[in-house]
Amino acid sequence: MYGRDDLRTTLAPVSKAPAPTGFKHASYARFYEQAQQESDVQADSWYARGQTMIVAYSEVKEGATFLRTDQPDEYAIVLPDDDAEIAIEIAEGTQIASGRSVAFVPAGASKVTVRKGGRILRLFSTRADDLVALCSNAQDYAEPDPNVPPLAEWPAPVGGRKVRVYSGNVAPEQGRFGRIYRGQTIMVNFGDGRVGPRAADNLSPHHHDDFEQYSIALDGDYIHHLRWPWISDSTQWIEDDHARCAAPSVAVIPPPATHTSQGIGPGLNRLLDAFCPPRRDFSAKPGWVLNAADYPMPDPKDDAQ
């Protein structure tokens, strides 16, 4: 049940997932409590994963670089703040991402060079085996989630191989939910957050049948509330979870847990939600995906999601 005036009440059901026979616990990575997985004089980086996606969170200085020599599929880069700037280089050319922005980088070799320091998120599929090995919560996925199907890429973008950069400062619009961008493997919902605690009588508990939600806390303090359904096999029941995660952190919310996130900090509370692969229900809403013209949806007959 979504909260008052939540535009997600207009989403159409799209899943044909089978009834669950077992469940996965949520996984949390509180980067503020953990040592970095990679560190040098120019960048500190933390890694966490879910079943399908890896979140790399980095605090960087000018001159820091990130190389991918044999990246197996497209990945996303998010600059969550207005003061950062990066250059993204592939063989076909270089693109600049400046201020709040989302970029999608093709598979293969790429180089990211920081021109103005700040915070960077890089979002990869778990096909990037070298990065899977770095994840602080890797043990949580020693056994796969039985309710998440194998990752299937969406169609190739229009216009061939290049880096695509999109502004994260697009103005809000009546009837449009957030700022949603999709690539072949990753979808990002780039929100502004809210100042002050979220009203306890206006939360938005809901669930997803067959895909994870990655809720990345960029600012503030949150409680992630989760509840799993009861099935006939009571040995598979999981107790309710009310996990407190400040920023920076990642909560990997598994299907089909009912969940809602409650900002509790007195200042700005801001989440960025990501999904791998892109969501069909968000994509089916006209005008919600801001770069839909560049990234086609799969054929409706395709059950990849």
Side-chain angles (χ1 to χ4, degrees):
M1 178 182 293
Y2 291 109
R4 296 185 295 273
D5 303 319
D6 194 312
L7 291 170
R8 289 172 293 180
T9 59
T10 65
L11 293 172
V14 296
S15 175
K16 297 180 181 178
T21 58
F23 304 106
K24 193 82 171 174
H25 286 269
S27 183
Y28 306 102
R30 299 171 177 88
F31 297 144
Y32 54 92
E33 292 181 346
Q34 301 172 356
Q36 311 92 319
Q37 279 73 57
E38 292 182 326
S39 182
D40 59 34
V41 296
Q42 293 175 313
D44 291 323
S45 297
W46 293 259
Y47 293 82
R49 64 163 294 185
Q51 180 67 32
T52 60
M53 199 178 83
I54 298 165
V55 176
Y57 170 83
S58 299
E59 298 175 354
V60 299
K61 298 178 181 178
E62 180 181 347
T65 59
F66 299 96
L67 297 174
R68 299 298 294 159
T69 57
D70 194 22
Q71 171 63 25
D73 51 14
E74 186 183 76
Y75 68 99
I77 302 175
V78 179
L79 299 183
D81 307 308
D82 284 326
D83 54 355
E85 183 174 289
I86 59 174
I88 309 167
E89 180 183 353
I90 62 173
E92 289 78 3
T94 300
Q95 294 290 327
I96 304 301
S98 182
R100 292 191 184 194
S101 53
V102 180
F104 294 95
V105 185
S110 60
K111 179 180 180 181
V112 176
T113 303
V114 176
R115 296 168 51 139
K116 295 180 183 178
R119 302 188 293 178
I120 295 177
L121 288 170
R122 291 169 294 140
L123 308 176
F124 304 89
S125 84
T126 48
R127 292 170 177 163
D129 293 335
D130 60 320
L131 302 181
V132 166
L134 293 174
C135 292
S136 60
N137 64 337
Q139 71 282 354
D140 291 348
Y141 294 88
E143 293 294 330
D145 190 325
N147 301 309
V148 177
L151 174 63
E153 286 184 329
W154 280 33
V158 175
R161 180 182 163 85
K162 60 183 178 180
V163 175
R164 292 166 173 82
V165 179
Y166 305 98
S167 172
N169 283 318
V170 175
E173 184 177 309
Q174 185 70 29
R176 192 191 75 221
F177 181 69
R179 298 181 189 88
I180 301 172
Y181 306 86
R182 69 171 180 243
Q184 282 189 276
T185 56
I186 306 291
M187 173 178 275
V188 172
N189 186 10
F190 204 131
D192 291 322
R194 72 182 77 199
V195 176
R198 185 174 183 179
D201 65 349
N202 192 24
L203 303 182
S204 296
H206 62 285
H207 80 281
H208 313 301
D209 286 336
D210 58 359
F211 61 87
E212 300 168 306
Q213 177 170 314
Y214 295 73
S215 289
I216 304 165
L218 295 170
D219 301 286
D221 198 354
Y222 280 87
I223 298 176
H224 300 291
H225 304 284
L226 289 89
R227 170 169 288 179
W228 285 260
W230 283 8
I231 58 176
S232 58
D233 182 357
S234 65
T235 67
Q236 300 298 316
W237 294 356
I238 295 179
E239 292 185 3
D240 290 356
D241 197 359
H242 304 278
R244 185 169 179 174
C245 295
S249 63
V250 178
V252 184
I253 299 169
T258 297
H259 59 278
T260 188
S261 295
Q262 181 182 12
I264 60 172
L268 177 64
N269 297 292
R270 180 164 58 129
L271 287 176
L272 182 143
D273 287 333
F275 308 90
C276 179
R279 289 178 59 161
R280 285 182 179 266
D281 54 354
F282 280 0
S283 295
K285 295 290 291 183
W288 278 29
V289 177
L290 296 175
N291 65 337
D294 293 341
Y295 283 91
M297 287 185 66
D299 189 295
K301 298 176 183 178
D302 185 357
D303 292 327
Q305 179 87 338

